[in-house]
Amino acid sequence: MRWFALYVVLLDVANWFKIPCSASEFSLQGDYLLGGLFSLNIALKPELQSHPVTLECRRYHFDEESYQMFQVMRFAVEEINNSTTLLPNVSLGYEIFNHCSDTLNFPSVFSFLSQNGSFPIQRNFNKYQPNVITVIGPYDSTTTITVAPFFMMDLIPMVNYGSSSYDLSNKLLYPSFLRTVPSNKDLIDIIIRIIKWFRWNWVAFIGSQDDYSQDGLSLFYQYIRENGICLAYQGMLSLESDYYATLKTIEKLKINIIVVFSSGVIVENLVRAAINHNIRDKVWIASEGWSMNKKLSQEPGIQNIGKIFGITEQFTSLPGFDQFINKTRKYSDDDEECSGCEGQSSQEKTCNQVCDNCTKLSSEEILNESPTFSFPVYAAIYSVAHALHNVLRCDSNCCNKNVAVYPFMLLKEVKKLNFSLNGHQIKYDINGDPPVSYAVVLWHPNTGSQVFEVVGTYATYPEIAFTINSSLILWNNDGSVPFGNCSVECKEGFQREKDRNHECCFRCKICPSNTYINYTRDPYTCVPCSTDEWSEEGSIACQRREIMYLSFTDPLSVLLLVSAACLVLLCSAITILFSYNYNTPVVKSAGGSMCFLMLVSLIMSSIGLFFFFGQPMVIQCVFRNVMFCFFYSVCLSCLAVRSFQIFCVFKMATKFPEAYKCWVKHNGQWLVITIVSVFQFILCVLWGTFRTPAPTRDESSYADQIILGCSRGNLGVLLAVVFLVALLSFLCFFFSYMCADLPKNYNEAKSITFSILFFYISWCLYFTANMISQAVYIQLLYALAQLSSLYAILLSYFIPKSYIIVFQPKKNTQAYFQTSIQNYTQNISRT
């Protein structure tokens, strides 16, 4: 009932808009009429009317490019009518209107829908035969969206040549709409591909306040989210907009890439404003609406605003079109039908089939206009012709004119089309959209013949293919691609820190040591190196950390090993020497059989040094410490007992004779040595079994090294072991220091004092170095402290006595020793 009421209204309104005249260029009789809508004039600001009246398009700005498209339709119809194979014995006619306004231009629509100037009430819409079998046009999206619902009601095919709004692909709203130009979805897709090709991400989007630009902006938003592109600025301009303020904002935001998704006067105003205000070195990406605007390409100074890339249908020539234009122009001076209606004065010409400017155009002016939409118009006419060919069941000789042609029948056949036309495949998908075949053109303004150079292509049939020939693009300055990003790319080794407002903007921060940045994987994260790797600050890769341990082949290690071996040999030689001279006074004064225990302890302690070298294992970690601590404790206990004995003989024997007798009777020295040795042995066993010292990996002390070492084991047991060693060394030092004034031949106390002092110095140096550094050579210093402690005893205690035995045998006699004791006694008595 709603549509029924609408038809009644339309019937009444149609009487107001009867077309009183006809012109030869706008009308052609034929068996089947095609409706054409072309914006020969553009009413940017049509006057508001208080009553229904036809808008006089001829009063507004004349558009030469639309007139070229107008002529393409006439040419295509004539070519089809002259064909003997496509529609034999069938002629196509047309009724074309100048559709200059998107909202106030309905007489043409009512004319197409009417039957003999009226709207009969329809009970069965699938039997309705309007004045035209299809509609070609109109050009822009807003106009199409305004008038399309009238044709959708009866499923009258609208084969469009210029409206690219993606909303028109919605078949629920526009079931009979098809087009020969790609939708904005495809146009935005290639724009995104161009931006990504040059790795730009900081762009501005400029459009006009119409459905075409709004639809493009909406799709642009969707695509940039998925492709890492930021919309730095958007502006939807009108005739009254401040174009310079827009350009100034773009300059302030340092935007070099400008997508201008508009056409007509808005683009011209924007580009002229850029020229006048000296906007330079930008990259302009032109949508299909102005991608090949020849008039704008000749604008003085346009070459200074930067590079202009246009997106257009791939060039397709129309053989015979030039001859057609030349033929029609030949008689234009005598043909008044183009500019008026026969039998009427100019004041009475109110229909939109009047073209005051048509005769003023020469053939060259028509042919020099942008050919962007020429082939889409041509393809639209041929699509209708091929569909009609199928509906009428035509063969090579004739068509069946008895078949009633209804709009829905023609629509069904158009949707199934798949044919080749001038090298292009003409077909429609489920949304009524064609295969995409775009060319990317680079402007060479104010030049000679080649104003628009094809530098790239984009096609979706038979598969998606996109490429740009960068060698054809000569950039300004140093020839490099202009900078089109929000932030300057970080230097090598720096990570990006995202900006809170724009994902494409970032700051650069150097990656700390032991991390690296992998730009292909994630430029925003410094990735930590693995435990076996390291890196310096600001690295892009990790290096293998050097595994450090005391090697047997290291020169310092060799030196220490040779020294330890020499110590073993010296101790063995002295043992033999002392065995051979066991009953001599020197050996007895050195301790007699106790010397052999000390020498064996020194040998065993020296063997423990060999466990410092090579890659640490548990057995090495245990024996490098346990052997030294135990056997060195035995040696120290012997020294402590020996110094105590000397002190007792010369200092305390006379004062405490009973205590001395008891010490001698019960072999006090061996009892003390045994007790100390057993106690230290128990501690060492506990140390080696309870939380056993084990290999460790020091990964924190040095970034580029992993130091292999040994753990300390149980700290409590370790402290007990160290305390016992320290206590024994203190007792040695104390008693030996008290005996410093004894006879020279019995003065082992001085030797012991020296060895303990050297022991203290060695370990103080080690502990000091250990607090300063944790390098692998600290372990070598640890081994050196042990070796020094051993050599101190050997050199200060045993070597002097060995020297007397070998080189001064006269001093190794009982008489010599008795003389020394008597002299000491006399000196004591004098004091």
Side-chain angles (χ1 to χ4, degrees):
M1 291 300 295
R2 183 176 60 179
W3 291 114
F4 174 76
L6 178 61
Y7 265 10
V8 173
V9 173
L10 292 177
L11 178 61
D12 293 334
V13 175
N15 292 326
W16 286 83
F17 297 103
K18 290 184 178 178
I19 307 303
C21 61
S22 180
S24 61
E25 281 200 323
F26 288 88
S27 298
L28 179 68
Q29 297 300 316
D31 297 325
Y32 299 95
L33 287 184
L34 310 182
L37 298 175
F38 294 87
S39 301
L40 301 182
N41 297 84
I42 303 173
L44 296 173
K45 298 175 66 176
E47 299 174 6
L48 297 177
Q49 305 292 337
S50 60
H51 61 279
V53 64
T54 302
L55 187 69
E56 296 181 82
C57 291
R58 63 190 178 88
R59 296 172 53 191
Y60 299 99
H61 173 73
F62 182 68
D63 185 55
E64 293 86 352
E65 184 179 352
S66 292
Y67 184 67
Q68 184 197 64
M69 291 184 269
F70 170 91
Q71 291 296 339
V72 171
M73 178 173 177
R74 296 182 63 240
F75 164 69
V77 171
E78 180 178 298
E79 192 175 68
I80 292 169
N81 286 339
N82 291 334
S83 172
T84 58
T85 57
L86 185 54
L87 291 174
N89 78 312
V90 172
S91 63
L92 292 180
Y94 51 75
E95 196 73 34
I96 304 175
F97 284 89
N98 184 1
H99 200 85
C100 59
S101 171
D102 56 355
T103 58
L104 302 178
N105 224 187
F106 290 96
S108 55
V109 176
F110 300 149
S111 175
F112 293 158
L113 292 173
S114 66
Q115 286 182 336
N116 300 320
S118 63
F119 290 91
I121 297 176
Q122 299 295 323
R123 294 184 178 179
N124 192 352
F125 287 96
N126 62 355
K127 298 298 182 183
Y128 176 55
Q129 288 183 311
N131 191 30
V132 296
I133 60 172
T134 189
V135 177
I136 308 299
Y139 168 67
D140 65 273
S141 296
T142 300
T143 303
T144 302
I145 291 172
T146 302
V147 303
F150 292 95
F151 303 105
M152 302 299 106
M153 180 171 52
D154 299 311
L155 295 180
I156 298 173
M158 286 187 72
V159 187
N160 193 277
Y161 58 85
S163 301
S164 58
S165 174
Y166 188 59
D167 291 339
L168 292 166
S169 296
N170 186 342
K171 294 301 105 178
L172 293 177
L173 296 177
Y174 306 100
S176 62
F177 178 85
L178 305 101
R179 53 185 157 201
T180 54
V181 291
S183 69
N184 281 346
K185 183 176 182 291
D186 300 305
L187 188 56
I188 292 297
D189 184 49
I190 189 174
I191 290 174
I192 295 296
R193 288 175 183 267
I194 293 172
I195 294 172
K196 289 183 64 179
W197 181 276
F198 295 108
R199 298 181 180 178
W200 297 320
N201 65 12
W202 191 241
V203 301
F205 187 98
I206 306 296
S208 50
Q209 295 177 358
D210 54 25
D211 292 289
Y212 171 71
S213 296
Q214 292 289 351
D215 182 64
L217 178 60
S218 176
L219 291 166
F220 193 70
Y221 264 126
Q222 295 177 25
Y223 273 78
I224 61 176
R225 292 193 195 102
E226 303 168 1
N227 291 279
I229 299 170
C230 288
L231 183 57
Y233 176 81
Q234 68 177 52
M236 309 308 283
L237 306 178
S238 65
L239 292 175
E240 294 78 17
S241 296
D242 188 342
Y243 294 89
Y244 176 62
T246 297
L247 295 169
K248 188 176 181 181
T249 303
I250 290 174
E251 285 280 82
K252 184 178 180 181
L253 293 173
K254 299 180 180 180
I255 304 170
N256 292 326
I257 315 302
I258 306 173
V259 177
V260 184
F261 205 88
S262 181
S263 59
V265 180
I266 300 297
V267 171
E268 294 174 4
N269 291 346
L270 180 68
V271 172
R272 290 189 181 109
I275 295 171
N276 295 335
H277 292 92
N278 200 30
I279 302 299
R280 289 178 171 268
D281 301 327
K282 303 294 183 185
V283 176
W284 305 76
I285 301 178
S287 65
E288 199 172 21
W290 68 285
S291 60
M292 296 184 66
N293 190 318
K294 292 187 178 180
K295 183 186 298 183
L296 200 56
S297 68
Q298 302 303 320
E299 193 74 23
I302 193 172
Q303 69 275 6
N304 297 326
I305 68 173
K307 296 292 183 182
I308 301 177
F309 291 91
I311 301 167
T312 183
E313 288 280 321
Q314 290 197 26
F315 302 142
T316 303
S317 61
L318 302 179
F321 181 63
D322 293 4
Q323 293 81 352
F324 173 80
I325 295 298
N326 290 327
K327 180 184 67 174
T328 57
R329 292 298 97 185
K330 182 179 180 181
Y331 303 104
S332 61
D333 293 338
D334 301 325
D335 188 1
E336 297 297 330
E337 294 180 335
C338 180
S339 60
C341 300
E342 186 177 356
Q344 295 181 333
S345 65
S346 61
Q347 289 81 6
E348 296 173 333
K349 297 171 184 176
T350 58
C351 68
N352 287 327
Q353 292 181 315
V354 176
C355 180
D356 293 335
N357 298 89
C358 293
T359 56
K360 299 177 183 178
L361 293 177
S362 65
S363 300
E364 290 76 15
E365 288 175 313
I366 297 173
L367 295 173
N368 285 335
E369 283 300 320
S370 171
T372 302
F373 296 97
S374 295
F375 184 76
V377 175
Y378 188 74
I381 307 301
Y382 266 89
S383 294
V384 174
H386 277 270
L388 189 59
H389 175 95
N390 295 334
V391 172
L392 297 176
R393 298 189 289 275
C394 299
D395 56 25
S396 59
N397 298 316
C398 65
C399 298
N400 186 359
K401 291 185 177 181
N402 295 324
V403 176
V405 179
Y406 297 105
F408 72 90
M409 298 170 60
L410 195 65
L411 175 64
K412 180 180 179 181
E413 293 300 327
V414 172
K415 289 183 175 181
K416 296 190 296 184
L417 290 177
N418 189 353
F419 65 96
S420 180
L421 181 66
N422 290 13
H424 286 262
Q425 201 67 23
I426 307 300
K427 58 185 296 188
Y428 302 92
D429 61 19
I430 58 174
N431 296 321
D433 297 330
V436 180
S437 183
Y438 275 131
V440 180
V441 296
L442 176 64
W443 285 32
H444 298 289
N446 295 320
T447 57
S449 57
Q450 194 178 24
V451 178
F452 307 105
E453 180 184 13
V454 177
V455 295
T457 58
Y458 173 67
T460 60
Y461 184 85
E463 60 183 14
I464 296 177
F466 171 76
T467 185
I468 288 181
N469 188 347
S470 299
S471 63
L472 299 176
I473 306 171
L474 301 178
W475 301 107
N476 298 332
N477 302 326
D478 59 353
S480 60
V481 177
F483 181 73
N485 300 77
C486 176
S487 303
V488 177
E489 192 60 48
C490 293
K491 295 180 181 178
E492 192 174 79
F494 285 73
Q495 74 176 78
R496 298 177 183 175
E497 283 192 341
K498 288 185 178 180
D499 185 87
R500 294 181 180 180
N501 299 319
H502 296 281
E503 290 185 359
C504 299
C505 302
F506 52 83
R507 296 182 298 274
C508 296
K509 180 181 178 182
I510 193 168
C511 286
S513 57
N514 290 327
T515 66
Y516 71 99
I517 189 76
N518 186 334
Y519 293 107
T520 58
R521 184 190 302 171
D522 183 6
Y524 294 94
T525 305
C526 294
V527 182
C529 296
S530 66
T531 55
D532 292 335
E533 297 177 327
W534 75 285
S535 68
E536 294 180 347
E537 188 180 62
S539 297
I540 59 171
C542 291
Q543 305 176 40
R544 296 292 299 179
R545 297 176 73 175
E546 187 177 2
I547 306 297
M548 300 295 294
Y549 56 88
L550 293 178
S551 170
F552 283 101
T553 58
D554 187 274
L556 293 177
S557 300
V558 171
L559 181 61
L560 192 142
L561 287 170
V562 170
S563 299
C566 291
L567 190 145
V568 172
L569 292 175
L570 285 173
C571 289
S572 300
I574 292 173
T575 301
I576 296 172
L577 180 64
F578 275 32
S579 297
Y580 185 77
N581 297 278
Y582 180 75
N583 292 318
T584 62
V586 170
V587 175
K588 289 183 178 180
S589 67
S593 59
M594 193 180 297
C595 293
F596 299 108
L597 179 59
M598 293 171 61
L599 289 168
V600 171
S601 296
L602 291 177
I603 292 173
M604 297 304 295
S605 296
S606 300
I607 293 174
L609 293 172
F610 290 88
F611 292 99
F612 276 89
F613 304 95
Q615 189 166 343
M617 294 182 291
V618 174
I619 190 171
Q620 291 174 296
C621 291
V622 172
F623 280 98
R624 69 166 61 173
N625 295 311
V626 169
M627 288 189 71
F628 173 79
C629 289
F630 174 70
F631 287 106
Y632 192 73
S633 297
V634 172
C635 187
L636 284 179
S637 65
C638 292
L639 289 176
V641 168
R642 182 60 187 155
S643 59
F644 177 73
Q645 280 184 316
I646 297 171
F647 175 75
C648 288
V649 169
F650 290 95
K651 298 286 186 179
M652 297 181 63
T654 56
K655 296 179 180 180
F656 303 100
E658 295 300 324
Y660 178 72
K661 290 179 181 179
C662 183
W663 173 268
V664 173
K665 180 179 179 181
H666 296 93
N667 292 319
Q669 68 272 22
W670 290 110
L671 183 62
V672 171
I673 293 172
T674 303
I675 293 173
V676 169
S677 299
V678 171
F679 185 69
Q680 186 71 306
F681 179 78
I682 294 172
L683 289 177
C684 289
V685 170
L686 291 175
W687 187 21
T689 56
F690 185 65
R691 197 181 298 174
T692 305
T696 59
R697 292 166 57 93
D698 181 2
E699 299 171 350
S700 59
S701 296
Y702 296 92
D704 59 339
Q705 297 177 357
I706 297 177
I707 300 175
L708 302 185
C710 294
S711 65
R712 297 174 180 175
N714 187 279
L715 186 60
V717 177
L718 172 62
L719 292 176
V721 171
V722 172
F723 175 76
L724 182 57
V725 173
L727 178 62
L728 291 173
S729 66
F730 173 75
L731 293 175
C732 289
F733 182 80
F734 176 77
F735 289 122
S736 60
Y737 182 78
M738 295 297 293
C739 301
D741 58 344
L742 294 181
K744 187 175 180 181
N745 288 346
Y746 284 90
N747 203 1
E748 289 89 357
K750 292 182 179 180
S751 300
I752 296 172
T753 302
F754 174 79
S755 63
I756 298 303
L757 283 174
F758 202 84
F759 168 80
Y760 286 150
I761 293 171
S762 298
W763 287 100
C764 284
L765 289 174
Y766 163 72
F767 285 119
T768 302
N770 189 57
M771 288 187 290
I772 297 173
S773 173
Q774 292 296 321
V776 68
Y777 289 108
I778 291 298
Q779 299 179 46
L780 187 67
L781 192 59
Y782 181 30
L784 183 62
Q786 292 188 11
L787 185 64
S788 300
S789 302
L790 299 176
Y791 264 107
I793 297 174
L794 178 68
L795 296 176
S796 65
Y797 192 85
F798 289 103
I799 292 298
K801 300 184 184 304
S802 300
Y803 179 80
I804 292 174
I805 294 173
V806 175
F807 298 103
Q808 294 179 339
K810 63 181 180 178
K811 293 183 179 181
N812 190 14
T813 61
Q814 190 70 30
Y816 182 81
F817 272 75
Q818 289 293 333
T819 303
S820 297
I821 294 171
Q822 289 174 2
N823 293 333
Y824 174 76
T825 304
Q826 292 173 0
N827 291 331
I828 290 296
S829 62
R830 290 193 189 111
T831 58

